[in-house]
Each structure stands twice: as structure tokens, then as C-alpha cells.
Amino acid sequence: MEFAVKTALPADWQAGRFVGRIDRGEGPCVVLIRDGRVTDITATYPTVSAFAAAGAPACDGDDLGTLDALGLSVSTTPRLLSPIDLQCVKASGVTFAVSALERVIEERARGDASKAAEVRGRLEQRVGGSIRSVVPGSAEAATLKQALIDDGMWSQYLEVAIGPDAEIFTKAPVLSTVGWGADIGIRSDSTWNNPEPEIVLLIAPDGVPLGACLGNDVNLRDFEGRSALLLGKAKDNNASCSLGPFIRLFDAGFTMDDVRDAELDLEISGDDGYRLTGHSAMREISRDPEDLVRQSMSEHQYPDGFVLFLGTLFAPTQDRDEPGRGFTHKVGDRVSIATPRLGALVNRVVTSKTAAPWTMGIGGLIANLARRDLLGHSG
């Protein structure tokens, strides 16, 4: 899959500032994109985490020319990588009403897609409207909670949807994420799964949001539906977390309000001719992005910073094969997540067993930087 600036980056990409990583043949390099030109800043900031810890400053480096002439690829050098490195990968769950309802449905159906439609109808009739309007942690939320308890319809997912505490979990190990154009993995033993198109924030060690990119929090609905204690298996598998194509840094032309106002489009195209589209609006989120950042750091520190998935509104219910079975991925699906201010993130679905193995961990990165005489710098 060849990287094309025209389709992967926003229309105003030459007016923005972006940070990311590429491999020029020797190992990961940190690149800064501004005014349409690519600068390799690895000699000053060997990692994106070091660049973020410094506050994402303007800096000089090795000028590689214009991005559209660089010839980026996912298979040959210069090779596009995930835009993050040493950051912890955190995620917010059940931050949209639709997501909350679908998680309850998974739980009540015990991960069985064939039972989901029946549960969905009963649950939406009872709480569909009220859960969309209630403010999490408010007195109204407490009243709704008690009513649902009285009806025998309360769920741990509704607790994090309308209660005072957000669901914040660790999505993937450090350095395990994949980037634009890479294969994304679903477990080979999963029969009900879907993409989760999200906006992802880059957070500095001091808690300041520095920018945003697109992400796919690949999810296994059958595993999590059987038990919330299987969240690790549902969320953290080889190649199950993609980000990219680059992180757009906040500036006068791109702010947190652009994240709050973002509209995301999803398209899934299968080798079988199947096509599914979806649209979601960040303005429907129940918790403000900066509140989710605060909750992530309330009693935890991240000395290398972190990225935070903000949650998804998308929960596909359309049947793909058998009536009543809903949607699930098939190997070969092409997943595209797009929004005008961040561009598009495109990946192809394989199983986690057949996806490219994760080979460079923290020790490997340190060894690589040492061989290139890059340790002892700002990183």
C-alpha cells in the first residue's frame, strides 16, 4: 500500500505542523512536518516522547524535502511507522450513548451475536433517550441509575457511561502500535468483532495535550461480551491498535475545539464485495476530552507521556451474512477512518497470528539508538 499525501492527510496539511516516525533504513526516525517539508529531528529528539516532553518545539534538523515527494511506503524505505513510541497507550471506553448501549447488549447477550437484536430492542425502549441526555455523575444520572436498578437493567457499562468515573484502560504495550497502511489484527478465534474509529490525543508528561491523530481500537465483541474480565484479550492482541498517519500538533489553526467538533467517517470494504459506512460526531461525546485526560492522570504519572483514545460512537449492527448475526470483520477487509482536519487512517484486516510480528520493544529501541549514537541527547 503506497502512501498518498492527497488522500492520507487533510486538505490544509501544508498549513499544519505534524510529528511522526519513519524508518530511513537504520531504524526509527522522528520527523517534523511544517510548511509541507519534512525535517528529521532525531539527532535532537531521538523519540517522539522526548519531543513531547520538551513541549513539541519548533526545531531544525535534516531537511528531507517535501512530504509529497518523499516516496513514503509501508514496505520499502523510507517506511512510514506508527507516530508514537515510548508513550503508554490508554483508552477511554463507553464515552458515547450508543457505545454504552452496545456494551450492555454484548454483556446481556453473553457475547452471542445472534441474541443481540432481541436485547437491543428491549434496552433501547427503556433507556435509549434518557441515556443520551444525562450528564455523567449528575443528580439526574443517579436517579436514572436507581430506576434501572429497580428494573433489573443496571450494568457495569452503564456505571462508567453515566457515573462519576470514566472507564480508562491500557489498550496496548509501549511500542506495539502499528501505523497507516499496516495490517491490523483480530484474534483468529473471534467470531464477532469490529473496528473502533476514534480520535487519539498526544499528552505530554505534565498532562498537556499537544496534538491529535486518528486511531483504530480494534475490539472483539464476543470476548468482552462473555466477561468484562476478558477485556485484555478483547483489546490487546498483535497489531490490534493502529494510529496515524501523523500526529497533528495543536497551534492557532488547529485546537482542542477542532477535536470537539470533529466528524468521523468510516468505510469498510471487503474482498467479498461487502461495504459498510458509518459516521460519528465528537460533539455527541458524554465526557469532554480534557476531563478524560484529567481522569487518566488523577493518581498516575506518565514520565514518557501517553496517548489517549477518546472512545467511539460507532457500533455496527447491520447484518453481514446471516440475518440477526450483525457485523463482524473478515480477513481482507479494508478499513478507512477519516476526518477533514486529521486526514485518513487506512488498514487491512488479518488475524493477529498472521500479522507481522512485533519485534522491536523498548530494549530493541534503546539498542538501535545506541548503535546510531543517539543516546545522551534530549531522549
Side-chain angles (χ1 to χ4, degrees):
M1 191 180 299
E2 295 299 318
F3 180 83
V5 170
K6 185 176 180 179
T7 56
L9 290 188
D12 66 339
W13 68 276
Q14 291 177 305
R17 293 176 67 239
F18 301 81
V19 67
R21 296 191 307 147
I22 65 173
D23 187 342
R24 299 175 63 189
E26 296 183 347
C29 297
V30 180
V31 293
L32 184 63
I33 302 166
R34 53 187 173 182
D35 300 324
R37 300 190 69 84
V38 184
T39 303
D40 184 339
I41 60 172
T42 316
T44 304
Y45 298 107
T47 62
V48 175
S49 63
F51 175 73
C59 55
D60 296 323
D62 184 7
D63 184 7
L64 305 183
T66 60
L67 179 61
D68 49 2
L70 191 57
L72 277 178
S73 170
V74 297
S75 57
T76 60
T77 55
R79 185 164 63 95
L80 183 62
L81 305 174
S82 166
I84 65 168
D85 41 47
L86 296 180
Q87 294 85 356
C88 291
V89 184
K90 308 295 288 188
S92 315
V94 202
T95 54
F96 290 84
V98 169
S99 175
L101 293 175
E102 288 301 314
R103 288 295 182 269
V104 177
I105 290 162
E106 290 169 14
E107 179 185 45
R108 296 300 174 95
R110 302 292 184 186
D112 184 347
S114 64
K115 297 179 181 178
E118 177 189 351
V119 178
R120 184 176 293 109
R122 287 191 284 111
L123 188 62
E124 287 182 343
Q125 184 177 11
R126 179 64 183 86
V127 302
S130 56
I131 198 173
R132 292 175 184 271
S133 59
V134 71
V135 176
S138 66
E140 292 78 10
T143 299
L144 176 60
K145 174 180 179 177
Q146 188 57 54
L148 291 168
I149 291 173
D150 294 341
D151 283 354
M153 299 190 70
W154 187 243
S155 162
Q156 59 196 333
Y157 292 107
L158 294 175
E159 176 64 45
V160 295
I162 66 175
D165 299 310
E167 180 190 18
I168 307 291
F169 61 92
T170 299
K171 165 64 182 179
V174 170
L175 286 172
S176 70
T177 63
V178 299
W180 184 100
D183 289 341
I184 50 173
I186 54 173
R187 285 182 63 95
S188 56
D189 52 356
S190 172
T191 59
W192 188 21
N193 48 70
N194 61 248
E196 293 196 354
E198 305 187 25
I199 290 182
V200 185
L201 296 179
L202 173 66
I203 313 297
D206 61 1
V208 174
L210 298 175
C213 68
L214 292 166
N216 189 344
D217 173 16
V218 181
N219 183 52
L220 310 183
R221 301 189 68 179
D222 46 1
F223 276 77
E224 187 177 356
R226 280 163 44 206
S227 171
L229 297 180
L230 292 174
L231 181 67
K233 277 195 172 183
K235 292 290 189 178
D236 182 9
N237 299 289
N238 186 42
S240 67
C241 182
S242 66
L243 297 97
F246 296 98
I247 295 166
R248 183 166 191 171
L249 299 170
F250 290 136
D251 56 22
F254 178 70
T255 70
M256 186 65 80
D257 282 339
D258 289 291
V259 171
R260 294 183 177 106
D261 293 336
E263 306 262 344
L264 278 71
D265 288 300
L266 174 89
E267 181 176 335
I268 302 171
S269 302
D271 290 341
D272 56 356
Y274 178 85
R275 182 174 180 268
L276 181 148
T277 60
H279 180 83
S280 58
M282 283 294 293
R283 61 178 172 270
E284 295 187 38
I285 198 168
S286 58
R287 301 180 192 269
D288 187 76
E290 291 187 335
D291 177 55
L292 291 170
V293 173
R294 285 192 293 270
Q295 291 213 31
S296 301
M297 300 191 70
S298 62
E299 296 195 24
H300 206 314
Q301 298 79 44
Y302 298 94
D304 292 304
F306 66 102
V307 293
L308 179 63
F309 281 73
L310 295 177
T312 186
L313 177 62
F314 181 72
T317 60
Q318 299 95 322
D319 293 331
R320 182 167 192 173
D321 293 314
E322 304 171 32
R325 291 285 299 175
F327 169 84
T328 195
H329 271 310
K330 291 185 178 182
V331 169
D333 282 353
R334 181 181 181 274
V335 182
S336 174
I337 301 166
T339 190
R341 303 307 308 276
L342 294 174
L345 174 63
V346 181
N347 300 101
R348 186 178 72 97
V349 174
V350 298
T351 66
S352 292
K353 284 185 176 180
T354 59
W358 173 32
T359 57
M360 181 178 282
I362 297 173
L365 177 62
I366 292 173
N368 179 272
L369 295 175
R371 285 195 301 270
R372 293 155 64 192
D373 194 29
L374 291 169
L375 296 182
H377 298 260
S378 296

PDB file of all heavy atoms in Angstrom, residues 343-371:
ATOM      1  N   GLY A 343      -7.081  13.898   8.367  1.00  0.00           N
ATOM      2  CA  GLY A 343      -6.764  13.039   7.242  1.00  0.00           C
ATOM      3  C   GLY A 343      -7.456  11.703   7.342  1.00  0.00           C
ATOM      4  O   GLY A 343      -8.600  11.612   7.788  1.00  0.00           O
ATOM      5  N   ALA A 344      -6.763  10.646   6.933  1.00  0.00           N
ATOM      6  CA  ALA A 344      -7.361   9.316   6.899  1.00  0.00           C
ATOM      7  C   ALA A 344      -6.364   8.274   7.391  1.00  0.00           C
ATOM      8  O   ALA A 344      -5.169   8.349   7.105  1.00  0.00           O
ATOM      9  CB  ALA A 344      -7.819   8.968   5.486  1.00  0.00           C
ATOM     10  N   LEU A 345      -6.878   7.303   8.144  1.00  0.00           N
ATOM     11  CA  LEU A 345      -6.102   6.162   8.615  1.00  0.00           C
ATOM     12  C   LEU A 345      -6.663   4.928   7.922  1.00  0.00           C
ATOM     13  O   LEU A 345      -7.848   4.618   8.053  1.00  0.00           O
ATOM     14  CB  LEU A 345      -6.219   6.019  10.136  1.00  0.00           C
ATOM     15  CG  LEU A 345      -5.583   4.787  10.776  1.00  0.00           C
ATOM     16  CD1 LEU A 345      -4.072   4.781  10.575  1.00  0.00           C
ATOM     17  CD2 LEU A 345      -5.921   4.736  12.267  1.00  0.00           C
ATOM     18  N   VAL A 346      -5.815   4.228   7.177  1.00  0.00           N
ATOM     19  CA  VAL A 346      -6.260   3.080   6.385  1.00  0.00           C
ATOM     20  C   VAL A 346      -5.462   1.850   6.798  1.00  0.00           C
ATOM     21  O   VAL A 346      -4.229   1.900   6.887  1.00  0.00           O
ATOM     22  CB  VAL A 346      -6.082   3.339   4.875  1.00  0.00           C
ATOM     23  CG1 VAL A 346      -6.577   2.140   4.067  1.00  0.00           C
ATOM     24  CG2 VAL A 346      -6.827   4.609   4.461  1.00  0.00           C
ATOM     25  N   ASN A 347      -6.165   0.748   7.049  1.00  0.00           N
ATOM     26  CA  ASN A 347      -5.516  -0.511   7.409  1.00  0.00           C
ATOM     27  C   ASN A 347      -6.287  -1.677   6.790  1.00  0.00           C
ATOM     28  O   ASN A 347      -7.446  -1.544   6.442  1.00  0.00           O
ATOM     29  CB  ASN A 347      -5.471  -0.706   8.931  1.00  0.00           C
ATOM     30  CG  ASN A 347      -4.702   0.382   9.648  1.00  0.00           C
ATOM     31  OD1 ASN A 347      -5.297   1.299  10.221  1.00  0.00           O
ATOM     32  ND2 ASN A 347      -3.393   0.304   9.624  1.00  0.00           N
ATOM     33  N   ARG A 348      -5.619  -2.821   6.704  1.00  0.00           N
ATOM     34  CA  ARG A 348      -6.245  -4.046   6.192  1.00  0.00           C
ATOM     35  C   ARG A 348      -6.305  -5.079   7.307  1.00  0.00           C
ATOM     36  O   ARG A 348      -5.348  -5.237   8.073  1.00  0.00           O
ATOM     37  CB  ARG A 348      -5.452  -4.595   5.010  1.00  0.00           C
ATOM     38  CG  ARG A 348      -6.097  -5.789   4.310  1.00  0.00           C
ATOM     39  CD  ARG A 348      -5.239  -6.212   3.120  1.00  0.00           C
ATOM     40  NE  ARG A 348      -4.020  -6.847   3.572  1.00  0.00           N
ATOM     41  CZ  ARG A 348      -3.850  -8.183   3.657  1.00  0.00           C
ATOM     42  NH1 ARG A 348      -4.843  -8.995   3.324  1.00  0.00           N
ATOM     43  NH2 ARG A 348      -2.708  -8.685   4.057  1.00  0.00           N
ATOM     44  N   VAL A 349      -7.419  -5.808   7.384  1.00  0.00           N
ATOM     45  CA  VAL A 349      -7.638  -6.757   8.466  1.00  0.00           C
ATOM     46  C   VAL A 349      -7.034  -8.127   8.141  1.00  0.00           C
ATOM     47  O   VAL A 349      -7.258  -8.680   7.053  1.00  0.00           O
ATOM     48  CB  VAL A 349      -9.149  -6.912   8.748  1.00  0.00           C
ATOM     49  CG1 VAL A 349      -9.410  -8.010   9.779  1.00  0.00           C
ATOM     50  CG2 VAL A 349      -9.745  -5.587   9.215  1.00  0.00           C
ATOM     51  N   VAL A 350      -6.261  -8.643   9.095  1.00  0.00           N
ATOM     52  CA  VAL A 350      -5.760 -10.019   9.061  1.00  0.00           C
ATOM     53  C   VAL A 350      -5.983 -10.605  10.452  1.00  0.00           C
ATOM     54  O   VAL A 350      -6.530  -9.951  11.331  1.00  0.00           O
ATOM     55  CB  VAL A 350      -4.265 -10.074   8.666  1.00  0.00           C
ATOM     56  CG1 VAL A 350      -4.046  -9.516   7.270  1.00  0.00           C
ATOM     57  CG2 VAL A 350      -3.410  -9.311   9.682  1.00  0.00           C
ATOM     58  N   THR A 351      -5.553 -11.814  10.685  1.00  0.00           N
ATOM     59  CA  THR A 351      -5.590 -12.325  12.048  1.00  0.00           C
ATOM     60  C   THR A 351      -4.320 -11.910  12.773  1.00  0.00           C
ATOM     61  O   THR A 351      -3.281 -11.662  12.154  1.00  0.00           O
ATOM     62  CB  THR A 351      -5.705 -13.862  12.079  1.00  0.00           C
ATOM     63  OG1 THR A 351      -4.514 -14.440  11.532  1.00  0.00           O
ATOM     64  CG2 THR A 351      -6.925 -14.326  11.297  1.00  0.00           C
ATOM     65  N   SER A 352      -4.412 -11.836  14.088  1.00  0.00           N
ATOM     66  CA  SER A 352      -3.236 -11.457  14.876  1.00  0.00           C
ATOM     67  C   SER A 352      -2.115 -12.476  14.719  1.00  0.00           C
ATOM     68  O   SER A 352      -0.935 -12.143  14.865  1.00  0.00           O
ATOM     69  CB  SER A 352      -3.625 -11.312  16.350  1.00  0.00           C
ATOM     70  OG  SER A 352      -4.473 -10.194  16.521  1.00  0.00           O
ATOM     71  N   LYS A 353      -2.466 -13.732  14.410  1.00  0.00           N
ATOM     72  CA  LYS A 353      -1.438 -14.753  14.202  1.00  0.00           C
ATOM     73  C   LYS A 353      -0.653 -14.534  12.921  1.00  0.00           C
ATOM     74  O   LYS A 353       0.530 -14.852  12.844  1.00  0.00           O
ATOM     75  CB  LYS A 353      -2.077 -16.149  14.175  1.00  0.00           C
ATOM     76  CG  LYS A 353      -2.461 -16.689  15.542  1.00  0.00           C
ATOM     77  CD  LYS A 353      -2.959 -18.126  15.424  1.00  0.00           C
ATOM     78  CE  LYS A 353      -3.247 -18.721  16.793  1.00  0.00           C
ATOM     79  NZ  LYS A 353      -3.742 -20.129  16.698  1.00  0.00           N
ATOM     80  N   THR A 354      -1.316 -13.989  11.901  1.00  0.00           N
ATOM     81  CA  THR A 354      -0.650 -13.821  10.611  1.00  0.00           C
ATOM     82  C   THR A 354      -0.136 -12.406  10.384  1.00  0.00           C
ATOM     83  O   THR A 354       0.593 -12.172   9.415  1.00  0.00           O
ATOM     84  CB  THR A 354      -1.597 -14.195   9.457  1.00  0.00           C
ATOM     85  OG1 THR A 354      -2.769 -13.365   9.517  1.00  0.00           O
ATOM     86  CG2 THR A 354      -2.014 -15.647   9.557  1.00  0.00           C
ATOM     87  N   ALA A 355      -0.493 -11.461  11.243  1.00  0.00           N
ATOM     88  CA  ALA A 355       0.037 -10.097  11.126  1.00  0.00           C
ATOM     89  C   ALA A 355       1.546 -10.117  11.354  1.00  0.00           C
ATOM     90  O   ALA A 355       2.081 -11.033  12.004  1.00  0.00           O
ATOM     91  CB  ALA A 355      -0.638  -9.180  12.142  1.00  0.00           C
ATOM     92  N   ALA A 356       2.222  -9.118  10.841  1.00  0.00           N
ATOM     93  CA  ALA A 356       3.667  -9.024  11.053  1.00  0.00           C
ATOM     94  C   ALA A 356       3.971  -9.047  12.546  1.00  0.00           C
ATOM     95  O   ALA A 356       3.341  -8.321  13.315  1.00  0.00           O
ATOM     96  CB  ALA A 356       4.206  -7.741  10.430  1.00  0.00           C
ATOM     97  N   PRO A 357       4.900  -9.888  12.986  1.00  0.00           N
ATOM     98  CA  PRO A 357       5.183  -9.969  14.425  1.00  0.00           C
ATOM     99  C   PRO A 357       5.787  -8.678  14.958  1.00  0.00           C
ATOM    100  O   PRO A 357       6.498  -7.968  14.240  1.00  0.00           O
ATOM    101  CB  PRO A 357       6.172 -11.129  14.536  1.00  0.00           C
ATOM    102  CG  PRO A 357       6.803 -11.215  13.174  1.00  0.00           C
ATOM    103  CD  PRO A 357       5.740 -10.800  12.203  1.00  0.00           C
ATOM    104  N   TRP A 358       5.482  -8.371  16.205  1.00  0.00           N
ATOM    105  CA  TRP A 358       6.071  -7.213  16.880  1.00  0.00           C
ATOM    106  C   TRP A 358       7.460  -7.620  17.353  1.00  0.00           C
ATOM    107  O   TRP A 358       7.613  -8.522  18.173  1.00  0.00           O
ATOM    108  CB  TRP A 358       5.162  -6.813  18.046  1.00  0.00           C
ATOM    109  CG  TRP A 358       5.718  -5.745  18.934  1.00  0.00           C
ATOM    110  CD1 TRP A 358       6.533  -4.709  18.599  1.00  0.00           C
ATOM    111  CD2 TRP A 358       5.477  -5.606  20.347  1.00  0.00           C
ATOM    112  NE1 TRP A 358       6.811  -3.926  19.678  1.00  0.00           N
ATOM    113  CE2 TRP A 358       6.191  -4.449  20.766  1.00  0.00           C
ATOM    114  CE3 TRP A 358       4.735  -6.334  21.277  1.00  0.00           C
ATOM    115  CZ2 TRP A 358       6.171  -4.029  22.097  1.00  0.00           C
ATOM    116  CZ3 TRP A 358       4.725  -5.899  22.590  1.00  0.00           C
ATOM    117  CH2 TRP A 358       5.432  -4.766  22.999  1.00  0.00           C
ATOM    118  N   THR A 359       8.487  -6.956  16.847  1.00  0.00           N
ATOM    119  CA  THR A 359       9.860  -7.378  17.131  1.00  0.00           C
ATOM    120  C   THR A 359      10.703  -6.341  17.859  1.00  0.00           C
ATOM    121  O   THR A 359      11.683  -6.711  18.509  1.00  0.00           O
ATOM    122  CB  THR A 359      10.584  -7.755  15.826  1.00  0.00           C
ATOM    123  OG1 THR A 359      10.552  -6.634  14.921  1.00  0.00           O
ATOM    124  CG2 THR A 359       9.909  -8.951  15.163  1.00  0.00           C
ATOM    125  N   MET A 360      10.400  -5.060  17.753  1.00  0.00           N
ATOM    126  CA  MET A 360      11.217  -4.041  18.413  1.00  0.00           C
ATOM    127  C   MET A 360      10.503  -3.516  19.649  1.00  0.00           C
ATOM    128  O   MET A 360       9.599  -2.701  19.561  1.00  0.00           O
ATOM    129  CB  MET A 360      11.561  -2.877  17.479  1.00  0.00           C
ATOM    130  CG  MET A 360      12.433  -1.811  18.160  1.00  0.00           C
ATOM    131  SD  MET A 360      12.941  -0.437  17.099  1.00  0.00           S
ATOM    132  CE  MET A 360      14.268  -1.195  16.165  1.00  0.00           C
ATOM    133  N   GLY A 361      10.935  -3.991  20.814  1.00  0.00           N
ATOM    134  CA  GLY A 361      10.418  -3.492  22.071  1.00  0.00           C
ATOM    135  C   GLY A 361      11.300  -2.377  22.603  1.00  0.00           C
ATOM    136  O   GLY A 361      12.140  -1.816  21.880  1.00  0.00           O
ATOM    137  N   ILE A 362      11.146  -2.055  23.877  1.00  0.00           N
ATOM    138  CA  ILE A 362      11.912  -0.943  24.469  1.00  0.00           C
ATOM    139  C   ILE A 362      13.398  -1.233  24.423  1.00  0.00           C
ATOM    140  O   ILE A 362      14.212  -0.366  24.058  1.00  0.00           O
ATOM    141  CB  ILE A 362      11.431  -0.692  25.908  1.00  0.00           C
ATOM    142  CG1 ILE A 362       9.958  -0.268  25.910  1.00  0.00           C
ATOM    143  CG2 ILE A 362      12.286   0.385  26.580  1.00  0.00           C
ATOM    144  CD1 ILE A 362       9.341  -0.169  27.284  1.00  0.00           C
ATOM    145  N   GLY A 363      13.786  -2.471  24.799  1.00  0.00           N
ATOM    146  CA  GLY A 363      15.206  -2.820  24.752  1.00  0.00           C
ATOM    147  C   GLY A 363      15.768  -2.715  23.354  1.00  0.00           C
ATOM    148  O   GLY A 363      16.890  -2.226  23.149  1.00  0.00           O
ATOM    149  N   GLY A 364      14.990  -3.164  22.363  1.00  0.00           N
ATOM    150  CA  GLY A 364      15.444  -3.086  20.982  1.00  0.00           C
ATOM    151  C   GLY A 364      15.603  -1.659  20.499  1.00  0.00           C
ATOM    152  O   GLY A 364      16.554  -1.334  19.770  1.00  0.00           O
ATOM    153  N   LEU A 365      14.682  -0.769  20.889  1.00  0.00           N
ATOM    154  CA  LEU A 365      14.793   0.629  20.502  1.00  0.00           C
ATOM    155  C   LEU A 365      16.024   1.272  21.125  1.00  0.00           C
ATOM    156  O   LEU A 365      16.773   1.997  20.454  1.00  0.00           O
ATOM    157  CB  LEU A 365      13.535   1.394  20.910  1.00  0.00           C
ATOM    158  CG  LEU A 365      13.554   2.901  20.610  1.00  0.00           C
ATOM    159  CD1 LEU A 365      13.680   3.160  19.120  1.00  0.00           C
ATOM    160  CD2 LEU A 365      12.309   3.586  21.175  1.00  0.00           C
ATOM    161  N   ILE A 366      16.261   1.000  22.407  1.00  0.00           N
ATOM    162  CA  ILE A 366      17.433   1.564  23.079  1.00  0.00           C
ATOM    163  C   ILE A 366      18.710   1.089  22.396  1.00  0.00           C
ATOM    164  O   ILE A 366      19.638   1.877  22.146  1.00  0.00           O
ATOM    165  CB  ILE A 366      17.432   1.193  24.570  1.00  0.00           C
ATOM    166  CG1 ILE A 366      16.280   1.907  25.288  1.00  0.00           C
ATOM    167  CG2 ILE A 366      18.769   1.555  25.226  1.00  0.00           C
ATOM    168  CD1 ILE A 366      16.095   1.477  26.723  1.00  0.00           C
ATOM    169  N   ALA A 367      18.768  -0.206  22.069  1.00  0.00           N
ATOM    170  CA  ALA A 367      19.954  -0.740  21.401  1.00  0.00           C
ATOM    171  C   ALA A 367      20.143  -0.092  20.037  1.00  0.00           C
ATOM    172  O   ALA A 367      21.273   0.233  19.629  1.00  0.00           O
ATOM    173  CB  ALA A 367      19.832  -2.255  21.270  1.00  0.00           C
ATOM    174  N   ASN A 368      19.056   0.105  19.314  1.00  0.00           N
ATOM    175  CA  ASN A 368      19.144   0.729  17.998  1.00  0.00           C
ATOM    176  C   ASN A 368      19.629   2.163  18.095  1.00  0.00           C
ATOM    177  O   ASN A 368      20.508   2.591  17.330  1.00  0.00           O
ATOM    178  CB  ASN A 368      17.774   0.668  17.316  1.00  0.00           C
ATOM    179  CG  ASN A 368      17.764   1.324  15.946  1.00  0.00           C
ATOM    180  OD1 ASN A 368      17.539   2.531  15.822  1.00  0.00           O
ATOM    181  ND2 ASN A 368      18.009   0.534  14.915  1.00  0.00           N
ATOM    182  N   LEU A 369      19.085   2.917  19.038  1.00  0.00           N
ATOM    183  CA  LEU A 369      19.529   4.303  19.219  1.00  0.00           C
ATOM    184  C   LEU A 369      20.985   4.365  19.644  1.00  0.00           C
ATOM    185  O   LEU A 369      21.734   5.268  19.236  1.00  0.00           O
ATOM    186  CB  LEU A 369      18.635   5.002  20.248  1.00  0.00           C
ATOM    187  CG  LEU A 369      17.163   5.196  19.854  1.00  0.00           C
ATOM    188  CD1 LEU A 369      16.379   5.798  21.012  1.00  0.00           C
ATOM    189  CD2 LEU A 369      17.029   6.068  18.614  1.00  0.00           C
ATOM    190  N   ALA A 370      21.419   3.406  20.461  1.00  0.00           N
ATOM    191  CA  ALA A 370      22.821   3.380  20.904  1.00  0.00           C
ATOM    192  C   ALA A 370      23.736   3.122  19.714  1.00  0.00           C
ATOM    193  O   ALA A 370      24.805   3.764  19.585  1.00  0.00           O
ATOM    194  CB  ALA A 370      23.008   2.308  21.976  1.00  0.00           C
ATOM    195  N   ARG A 371      23.384   2.181  18.848  1.00  0.00           N
ATOM    196  CA  ARG A 371      24.212   1.898  17.679  1.00  0.00           C
ATOM    197  C   ARG A 371      24.336   3.119  16.765  1.00  0.00           C
ATOM    198  O   ARG A 371      25.349   3.320  16.099  1.00  0.00           O
ATOM    199  CB  ARG A 371      23.615   0.732  16.872  1.00  0.00           C
ATOM    200  CG  ARG A 371      23.809  -0.630  17.494  1.00  0.00           C
ATOM    201  CD  ARG A 371      23.544  -1.744  16.506  1.00  0.00           C
ATOM    202  NE  ARG A 371      22.194  -1.706  15.964  1.00  0.00           N
ATOM    203  CZ  ARG A 371      21.163  -2.339  16.525  1.00  0.00           C
ATOM    204  NH1 ARG A 371      21.347  -3.047  17.651  1.00  0.00           N
ATOM    205  NH2 ARG A 371      19.959  -2.261  15.998  1.00  0.00           N
TER     206      ARG A 371
END
